[in-house]
Amino acid sequence: MSHLYVTYRLEATPGEAAALAEAILLEQTVETPRRVAERDAFVRDHLMGRIDAISPAEDGTRVTLALPMLTASADASQFINVLFGNTTLQPGVTLEDFDVPPSARALFRGPRFGVKGLRERLGVPARPLTATALKPVGLGVDALAALCRTFAEGGIDLIKDDHYLADHTFCPFEARVRACQDVVDEVAARTGHQAVYAPNLSGPPDQVFRQADLAQEAGAGAVMAAPMLLGFPTFHTLTHTRLDVPVVAHPTFAGGPRIHPETILGKLFRLYGADAVIFPNYGGRFHFSREQCARLASALRDAWGSYRSTFPVPAGGMKVERAGEMISFFGPDTVLLIGGSLLEAGDAMLERTRALVASVEHAASEF
Amino acid sequence: MSHLYVTYRLEATPGEAAALAEAILLEQTVETPRRVAERDAFVRDHLMGRIDAISPAEDGTRVTLALPMLTASADASQFINVLFGNTTLQPGVTLEDFDVPPSARALFRGPRFGVKGLRERLGVPARPLTATALKPVGLGVDALAALCRTFAEGGIDLIKDDHYLADHTFCPFEARVRACQDVVDEVAARTGHQAVYAPNLSGPPDQVFRQADLAQEAGAGAVMAAPMLLGFPTFHTLTHTRLDVPVVAHPTFAGGPRIHPETILGKLFRLYGADAVIFPNYGGRFHFSREQCARLASALRDAWGSYRSTFPVPAGGMKVERAGEMISFFGPDTVLLIGGSLLEAGDAMLERTRALVASVEHAASEF
């Protein structure tokens, strides 16, 4: 029998924790009193899981449960349900970590490209990648394509839609994708640098799948999507059945203290197929700590079963001047996403972009 | 121009709050520095929103922003993104409340049945409804159908799948739905009481829509689904285009302190089309307070634009003996969901069920 191992931190003393651990175990499996569930031999023997470990933690107690993969792997939505569904409704319980057995591979393929595959597609074997966003929402197709052109000429590797870009009357999805892809192709033909443009997929499932088809048909080298906006199951279908290009995952709506960032933005996004994950970097306008960022990068890249590594994409108030520091901290297998800092340059945007690209090449050469 | 009004509570003093409010405003609209966004007249005039109010709150400061419906209503996923997407990644910000203008109706129809429609379908014009769950997961089709029969014979109005029930080899979706629907129809023919059976829709979008079709084709009188597992956009497609029967929404994965329950389980679930919403009742095994439950019931039922009322479904460790207290607290437009307390009765389950149903009729007659 195979299990999903899940670690929660309880705001409780070790003395209180045993009873709470039993309560969470039942909640995440049978959701009936134990004696009711145990009436049935199959339920009792296969679906009740067990408490694996209880240990003191800073500010509470750490509990690891072994939950049945039989229910957790029923489908891409039940996995989240068994992992941390009802227990999100309990105060004082944080999902810290989880791990899956090899049998999870039947449901979860993880990243199709990951670090290695994205490097091959971009033709960048060693140094960190650079990325930026087309914004703000409200600009029309021509204006966004012009920005895209400047960034491509500046040498940026990955140019993505802002996550607020959807199918708007003032900026229709298809027109935007074709215009931006044309731009990166034209710059490639002219300069030899092939930037990858990644449109944002947004909306209900049928629209997202249609956009994925359109984007790929137009030649986009990647796409972006937000797992918590689309829903994990839709993101799973996207990555597992609808895409031949890499996907960059956006963390919008994935925040909150109940799930450690390295677990939701790290492991879950990676498991569900993200080839790269954008997250708020320390020292930017968000408040992740250096330690959280390091753990997140590890969760994305460290060897994990047979799952490929996912690119961390630190972002959020990043400055061109910090590129060297970022590379020292995160290492070369990183995508540096810089938005406002480039846009602020106005007419000097091309120059600022080239400066960023140059500084990344320079810093990388020091490895 | 129409706006989405959103109220956040900031863990900040009023002195700090003005700057934070501006930061959140930009984050939830243009996500660039203000001067970058304002370069474009259309963006400046239509997409930047404004700060509507700042006032002291218990433990912090309350901020209301007016955000543009132009972006918020682009699609069913962008609504969540604009409402509380990136800002979930900030510590110390809680989404308290929101309101939509009449133009939101173009995207959001709200509940198709709601309190009034569900009462008509069940033929229960005034008293509270009773509900229970088929569980635990692991039982085969025959065992769940037998439970279903007992509950139907006992007079329960709404018999739903447990939320862990999916399409399992040990309990396939289609076989379960047909068996349980046959059972409620057979009991109806025999006793005159037509219970409604609601299967749980689970999985990726194509599977969920297929299950919805199957369930309706089999004659199920309602379905259940978890918006946070499926993703809000999938739930929107389900309620707005794929169902001719009511949907009961399950709160799994919707917990956490960053969004007030009355806002996510209340308003958002109602807006996206839930006809009934299950939530953890006070005094059960979860820890919502009486006040939170009252606010949640209000958010679900109070007059709101042109949206129908949604049935609150207090649940979670409910006891048969508490039925009278529940009806006094929540009033008659409530569905009392009782699970373990009935299952625990074992061989006396039919009797306990009848006692519940009788106590609800009795308590209701006191209105």
Side-chain angles (χ1 to χ4, degrees):
Chain A
M1 181 182 345
S2 63
H3 289 91
L4 161 67
Y5 284 82
V6 195
T7 300
Y8 307 96
R9 194 183 73 251
L10 277 49
E11 284 160 34
T13 65
E16 297 161 332
L20 282 171
E22 163 77 353
I24 295 171
L25 178 68
L26 293 177
E27 193 71 54
Q28 296 305 119
T29 54
V30 290
E31 207 190 311
T32 63
R34 182 173 275 279
R35 66 184 172 285
V36 170
E38 288 180 341
R39 288 174 190 158
D40 182 275
F42 179 75
V43 174
R44 184 192 65 221
D45 296 339
H46 295 278
L47 291 178
M48 298 197 65
R50 65 173 196 278
I51 296 167
D52 190 66
I54 300 182
S55 59
E58 192 179 291
D59 294 337
T61 305
R62 186 164 282 119
V63 166
T64 299
L65 304 182
L67 301 173
M69 275 302 280
L70 189 53
T71 38
S73 64
D75 62 53
S77 69
Q78 285 300 323
F79 186 84
I80 302 292
N81 201 20
V82 173
L83 182 76
F84 198 44
N86 271 8
T87 300
T88 61
L89 296 161
Q90 290 287 8
V93 183
T94 298
L95 171 63
E96 288 200 331
D97 195 11
F98 73 91
D99 207 347
V100 293
S103 64
R105 188 123 200 133
L107 178 60
F108 295 112
R109 193 173 39 175
R112 291 159 298 117
F113 294 86
V115 169
K116 199 151 171 292
L118 202 49
R119 284 191 173 290
E120 278 166 17
R121 282 184 76 88
L122 271 72
V124 181
R127 64 161 172 80
L129 307 181
T130 54
T132 193
L134 303 177
K135 50 168 62 174
V137 63
L139 295 184
V141 168
D142 291 348
L144 289 176
L147 281 177
C148 189
R149 179 177 297 108
T150 304
F151 290 136
E153 289 171 340
I156 297 281
D157 298 310
L158 175 67
I159 303 165
K160 65 174 202 66
D161 277 353
D162 180 62
H163 63 108
Y164 288 115
L165 299 195
D167 192 26
H168 304 280
T169 47
F170 52 81
C171 192
F173 178 86
E174 182 168 1
R176 173 172 80 249
V177 171
R178 293 193 186 285
C180 291
Q181 190 56 41
D182 285 349
V183 155
V184 299
D185 289 340
E186 189 276 322
V187 171
R190 180 159 40 90
T191 72
H193 170 67
Q194 177 76 62
V196 165
Y197 163 64
N200 183 43
L201 308 185
S202 177
D206 64 321
Q207 181 170 314
V208 163
F209 300 147
R210 211 162 48 236
Q211 290 177 345
D213 291 344
L214 251 160
Q216 291 172 104
E217 185 259 308
V223 297
M224 185 175 80
M228 283 290 286
L229 286 188
L230 301 192
F232 276 105
T234 297
F235 187 75
H236 182 275
T237 296
L238 196 64
T239 59
H240 284 63
T241 69
R242 302 299 292 252
L243 289 176
D244 292 324
V245 299
V247 62
V248 179
H250 195 280
T252 185
F253 200 47
R258 293 291 172 203
I259 307 179
H260 281 192
E262 62 265 34
T263 300
I264 181 165
L265 303 182
K267 280 183 144 175
L268 268 177
F269 279 26
R270 180 179 180 185
L271 188 71
Y272 274 74
D275 298 286
V277 172
I278 299 167
F279 66 93
N281 196 22
Y282 69 89
R285 64 181 191 277
F286 291 90
H287 298 273
F288 282 21
S289 68
R290 290 170 64 100
E291 293 68 33
Q292 277 177 315
C293 290
R295 283 196 298 269
L296 176 46
S298 290
L300 288 171
R301 287 186 307 213
D302 287 359
W304 185 27
S306 60
Y307 296 117
R308 295 185 176 86
S309 294
T310 294
F311 259 113
V313 187
M318 294 283 300
K319 303 258 172 253
V320 174
E321 296 71 27
R322 292 187 70 203
E325 175 204 336
M326 293 296 98
I327 296 166
S328 295
F329 185 85
F330 286 106
D333 285 341
T334 307
V335 180
L336 303 185
L337 172 55
I338 299 182
S341 179
L342 294 178
L343 293 170
E344 276 176 316
D347 294 337
M349 204 170 73
L350 178 57
E351 205 178 306
R352 179 86 69 94
T353 301
R354 287 186 169 142
L356 166 69
V357 171
S359 82
V360 169
E361 305 236 4
H362 173 73
S365 67
E366 315 216 321
F367 276 92
Chain B
M1 180 184 344
S2 63
H3 288 92
L4 163 66
Y5 283 83
V6 195
T7 300
Y8 308 95
R9 194 183 73 253
L10 277 49
E11 284 161 33
T13 64
E16 297 160 332
L20 282 170
E22 163 76 354
I24 295 171
L25 179 67
L26 293 177
E27 192 74 51
Q28 296 304 120
T29 53
V30 290
E31 209 190 311
T32 62
R34 183 173 275 279
R35 64 185 174 285
V36 169
E38 288 179 339
R39 290 175 188 157
D40 183 275
F42 180 76
V43 174
R44 183 193 65 220
D45 295 340
H46 294 279
L47 291 177
M48 299 198 64
R50 66 171 196 278
I51 296 168
D52 191 64
I54 300 182
S55 60
E58 191 179 289
D59 294 336
T61 306
R62 186 165 281 121
V63 166
T64 300
L65 305 182
L67 301 173
M69 276 302 279
L70 189 53
T71 38
S73 65
D75 62 53
S77 69
Q78 285 301 323
F79 185 84
I80 301 291
N81 200 21
V82 173
L83 181 77
F84 198 45
N86 271 7
T87 299
T88 61
L89 296 161
Q90 290 288 8
V93 183
T94 299
L95 171 62
E96 287 201 331
D97 195 10
F98 73 90
D99 207 347
V100 293
S103 65
R105 191 128 197 127
L107 178 60
F108 295 112
R109 191 173 41 175
R112 291 159 297 117
F113 295 86
V115 169
K116 199 152 168 291
L118 202 47
R119 284 190 174 290
E120 279 165 19
R121 282 184 75 89
L122 271 72
V124 181
R127 63 163 173 79
L129 308 180
T130 54
T132 193
L134 303 177
K135 51 169 61 174
V137 62
L139 295 183
V141 169
D142 290 347
L144 289 177
L147 281 178
C148 190
R149 179 178 297 108
T150 304
F151 291 137
E153 288 172 343
I156 297 281
D157 299 309
L158 176 67
I159 304 165
K160 65 174 202 65
D161 277 353
D162 179 62
H163 64 107
Y164 288 116
L165 299 195
D167 192 28
H168 303 279
T169 46
F170 53 79
C171 192
F173 178 86
E174 182 168 0
R176 172 172 80 247
V177 171
R178 294 194 185 286
C180 291
Q181 190 55 42
D182 285 350
V183 156
V184 299
D185 288 342
E186 189 275 321
V187 171
R190 181 160 40 88
T191 72
H193 170 67
Q194 177 77 61
V196 165
Y197 164 62
N200 183 44
L201 308 184
S202 178
D206 64 321
Q207 181 170 314
V208 163
F209 300 147
R210 211 163 48 237
Q211 290 176 346
D213 289 346
L214 250 160
Q216 290 172 104
E217 185 258 309
V223 297
M224 184 175 82
M228 283 289 285
L229 288 187
L230 301 191
F232 276 105
T234 298
F235 187 74
H236 182 276
T237 295
L238 195 64
T239 59
H240 284 62
T241 71
R242 301 300 291 251
L243 289 177
D244 292 324
V245 299
V247 63
V248 179
H250 195 282
T252 185
F253 200 47
R258 293 291 173 202
I259 307 179
H260 280 193
E262 61 266 33
T263 300
I264 181 165
L265 303 181
K267 282 184 141 173
L268 268 176
F269 279 26
R270 181 179 178 186
L271 187 70
Y272 274 73
D275 298 285
V277 172
I278 298 166
F279 66 93
N281 195 22
Y282 70 88
R285 65 182 189 276
F286 291 90
H287 299 275
F288 281 22
S289 67
R290 290 171 63 101
E291 293 68 34
Q292 277 176 317
C293 289
R295 284 197 298 268
L296 175 46
S298 290
L300 288 171
R301 287 186 307 213
D302 288 0
W304 184 29
S306 60
Y307 296 117
R308 293 185 178 86
S309 295
T310 293
F311 259 114
V313 188
M318 294 282 301
K319 303 260 171 250
V320 174
E321 297 72 29
R322 290 187 71 200
E325 174 204 338
M326 292 297 99
I327 296 166
S328 294
F329 186 84
F330 286 105
D333 286 341
T334 308
V335 180
L336 304 185
L337 173 56
I338 298 181
S341 178
L342 294 180
L343 293 170
E344 275 176 315
D347 293 336
M349 203 169 74
L350 178 56
E351 204 176 307
R352 179 87 68 96
T353 301
R354 287 185 169 142
L356 166 69
V357 170
S359 82
V360 168
E361 305 236 3
H362 174 74
S365 67
E366 315 217 321
F367 276 92

